Amino acid sequence: MTDQPTENRPAAVPSEAKQAGEVRARWAWAEPAVWTERMLTALEQGVKGGKWFSLIDKVQALPNLRRAFARVKANGGAAGVDHVTVEEFAGHLEANLEKLSRRLADGSYRPQAVRRVWIPKPGSKEKRPLGIPTVGDRVVQAALRAVLEPIFERDFAAQSYGFRPGRGCKDALRRVDTLLKQGYSWVVDADLKSYFDTIPHQELLERVKTKVADARVLNLLEAFLRQGVLEEMNLWTPEEGTPQGGVVSPLLSNIYLDALDGHLATSGYEMVRYADDCAPRAQRAEKGPMCVTA
């Protein structure tokens, strides 16, 4: 049999291209406007010193801000203290995004106060607070989350299921079912009361600093943690907690609890955590205690 003519042979795919495609597939949820294949490769291989520098340019980049607005628009929501609705913001979208980008670049950006309202708590007569940031602040938070989330998601514990890409409540329940079938029979159900409102700022920032060394990104994050809260006619500054209703808050909540995940795992507990609800699970004598958070 003779070889095929060169012009009829299928083109060879370079190994580098295959590897790049595989990396992108593993991180399909990561924002491509931020996370190029080169950055994803560095993410998987690990960066020097384990810390990321020069991230603010990714946050302020217009393609990232445009994608961030698309996510904010898809989620909807009311206007913040400036009374600007999503539709009104979209009416001058490029001008608004360019303004945000400039202010992030020159360091003049400051988040506005969060408008706080109280809404009924499902299954209870109680009410829970809901914070409503301005549309512009929600866009910046979404852009910030797009930059930070893959950095921390890379090392999050497997037993964490809440507020994580590609994971959800059903996945947590499947894991719980698997553990029950393995013989665990004791269940402890726990909930961290007012968790989002009580996360200590300094400890949270220190945990972020273990992977992020860009001072301007850290300052931006701190500004969101300390942004004012307007409730009726009262304006106050929180001393703890993550921004109620903030786009970046779910990620921050997982960053703070990741140490708990690791501690329980190394202590011999099996755990399934969904957000701040916890159900430590059944003990089986030969395996030792098991902790499941649901």
Side-chain angles (χ1 to χ4, degrees):
M1 181 180 294
T2 59
D3 291 340
Q4 283 183 312
T6 302
E7 63 271 16
N8 293 333
R9 295 175 186 170
V13 178
S15 60
E16 293 83 358
K18 289 181 181 179
Q19 292 170 359
E22 291 169 357
V23 171
R24 170 56 65 188
R26 286 192 292 271
W27 295 88
W29 58 268
E31 177 53 61
V34 175
W35 287 93
T36 63
E37 291 175 351
R38 180 182 62 82
M39 286 183 64
L40 289 175
T41 300
L43 179 67
E44 289 201 348
Q45 294 177 350
V47 293
K48 186 176 181 180
K51 294 187 178 183
W52 288 79
F53 296 81
S54 303
L55 293 175
I56 192 65
D57 60 311
K58 280 57 170 197
V59 178
Q60 72 197 35
L62 282 172
N64 186 26
L65 291 172
R66 291 189 189 102
R67 290 291 300 137
F69 174 75
R71 290 190 291 273
V72 169
K73 182 179 179 181
N75 289 331
V81 295
D82 61 358
H83 306 293
V84 176
T85 65
V86 173
E87 292 74 19
E88 290 170 338
F89 192 95
H92 305 279
L93 182 60
E94 285 303 309
N96 286 328
L97 296 183
E98 288 173 5
K99 181 179 180 180
L100 288 176
S101 180
R102 286 195 304 271
R103 293 177 64 196
L104 287 166
D106 63 23
S108 64
Y109 171 82
R110 297 292 184 276
Q112 298 185 64
V114 172
R115 182 166 69 89
R116 172 170 281 194
V117 297
W118 292 81
I119 62 175
K121 191 174 182 179
S124 171
K125 294 182 179 180
E126 299 179 4
K127 291 187 175 182
R128 65 180 182 88
L130 175 66
I132 306 175
T134 65
V135 176
D137 287 344
R138 297 198 310 252
V139 170
V140 174
Q141 283 198 34
L144 179 61
R145 179 173 180 171
V147 171
L148 294 180
E149 190 163 34
I151 294 173
F152 290 92
E153 182 66 29
R154 173 184 183 269
D155 298 316
F156 275 159
Q159 60 264 47
S160 170
Y161 290 86
F163 309 128
R164 294 187 60 187
R167 290 178 166 225
C169 186
K170 290 184 179 179
D171 300 299
L173 291 173
R174 291 188 189 99
R175 179 59 181 162
V176 168
D177 183 61
T178 297
L179 292 170
L180 285 173
K181 290 175 179 177
Q182 289 179 359
Y184 295 100
S185 56
W186 291 6
V187 178
V188 178
D189 186 7
D191 175 41
L192 301 178
K193 184 176 177 61
S194 302
Y195 171 59
F196 281 82
D197 287 334
T198 57
I199 296 175
H201 289 170
Q202 193 56 45
E203 286 86 341
L204 173 60
L205 288 169
E206 289 301 320
R207 293 181 186 182
V208 174
K209 288 178 183 178
T210 62
K211 295 182 182 294
V212 175
D214 187 322
R216 294 175 66 181
V217 166
L218 294 169
N219 291 338
L220 177 61
L221 184 55
E222 185 171 8
F224 278 122
L225 291 174
R226 302 190 188 283
Q227 69 187 122
V229 177
L230 181 64
E231 187 172 351
E232 295 182 345
M233 298 301 293
N234 297 317
L235 178 64
W236 53 279
T237 301
E239 297 182 357
E240 59 184 3
T242 58
Q244 284 286 345
V247 180
V248 76
S249 291
L251 171 62
L252 297 179
S253 74
N254 274 333
I255 291 173
Y256 189 72
L257 279 182
D258 188 59
L260 170 67
D261 298 340
H263 175 71
L264 288 175
T266 56
S267 298
Y269 288 87
E270 190 70 56
M271 184 176 76
V272 179
R273 179 172 64 80
Y274 191 84
D276 59 330
D277 292 321
C278 169
R281 241 195 227 292
Q283 180 179 353
R284 193 164 78 174
E286 65 270 25
K287 287 199 172 185
M290 164 180 140
C291 176
V292 177
T293 53

